[in-house]
Amino acid sequence: MDWLIQGILSFIGTAGFGVIFNAPKRLLFHCGLVGMTGWLIYYAFQQKGIDAVFATFAGAFIISIVAHLLARQFKTPMIVFSVAGIIPLVPGGLAYNAMRTIVENDYVKSIQYGARVFIIAGAIVMGLVFAEVFMQLIFNAIRKRKARLSNISS
């Protein structure tokens, strides 16, 4: 039951941010699916006891892969899906705690929270970048194979 609730809420949150970011209405459902997929990957890793940084990387990687595939399918820029889809992974609670502890003059704890926020944000970026490189390698291999096949047949 917990997985269902996590999936539904992440879908709603992601689709809601799709509305805020002016994603085309016909793609809001798919934006929600992208975010839900990434969040459920993150959640699965967290349930297995894997560190939040690697879980965030894995979620961002999958979000970017799915965004690439949907962008090709709908002939839309991939950013439409990836920006909304990445929202559930953003460490907003940790950033809030970092600011709150600064106001409370607990600088040691705020540095710990802030460092964690930067590391998780870096994991998001690395997940997106690695997926981009991976997809470009795949697309280049497909193009080369098609070119080779067309040269053979002509």
Side-chain angles (χ1 to χ4, degrees), residues 1-14:
M1 187 65 159
D2 191 37
W3 285 86
L4 181 64
I5 292 169
Q6 292 287 330
I8 290 170
L9 292 178
S10 61
F11 177 88
I12 291 170
T14 305

Side-chain angles (χ1 to χ4, degrees), residues 4 6-19 23-42 59-60 62-70 73-74 80-89:
L4 181 64
Q6 292 287 330
I8 290 170
L9 292 178
S10 61
F11 177 88
I12 291 170
T14 305
F17 270 93
V19 171
K25 289 180 185 171
R26 66 185 175 88
L27 300 177
L28 287 177
F29 177 77
H30 301 286
C31 287
L33 285 179
V34 171
M36 181 180 75
T37 303
W39 177 256
L40 289 178
I41 295 295
Y42 169 83
I62 296 300
I63 285 169
S64 188
I65 298 270
V66 174
H68 269 286
L69 296 174
L70 289 175
Q73 179 181 350
F74 292 107
V80 169
F81 302 104
S82 63
V83 169
I86 213 73
I87 291 297
L89 299 179

Side-chain angles (χ1 to χ4, degrees), residues 139-154:
F139 293 147
N140 286 338
I142 290 170
R143 273 188 228 111
K144 286 179 183 177
R145 185 170 185 207
K146 283 183 181 179
R148 230 179 313 147
L149 290 176
S150 67
N151 288 340
I152 291 172
S153 65
S154 21

Side-chain angles (χ1 to χ4, degrees), residues 43-111:
Y43 187 68
F45 277 61
Q46 285 287 97
Q47 293 294 21
K48 296 289 184 189
I50 295 172
D51 186 54
V53 175
F54 185 74
T56 302
F57 172 83
F61 185 83
I62 296 300
I63 285 169
S64 188
I65 298 270
V66 174
H68 269 286
L69 296 174
L70 289 175
R72 283 196 167 247
Q73 179 181 350
F74 292 107
K75 295 177 176 50
T76 311
M78 107 181 241
I79 199 158
V80 169
F81 302 104
S82 63
V83 169
I86 213 73
I87 291 297
L89 299 179
V90 172
L94 283 175
Y96 169 79
N97 286 335
M99 291 296 110
R100 182 181 49 81
T101 52
I102 287 173
V103 171
E104 294 172 350
N105 294 328
D106 189 357
Y107 300 118
V108 172
K109 192 170 260 185
S110 76
I111 289 172

Side-chain angles (χ1 to χ4, degrees), residues 122-137:
I124 291 171
V125 171
M126 293 306 293
L128 294 174
V129 168
F130 278 34
E132 178 71 29
V133 170
F134 179 74
M135 292 305 287
Q136 290 304 318
L137 290 171

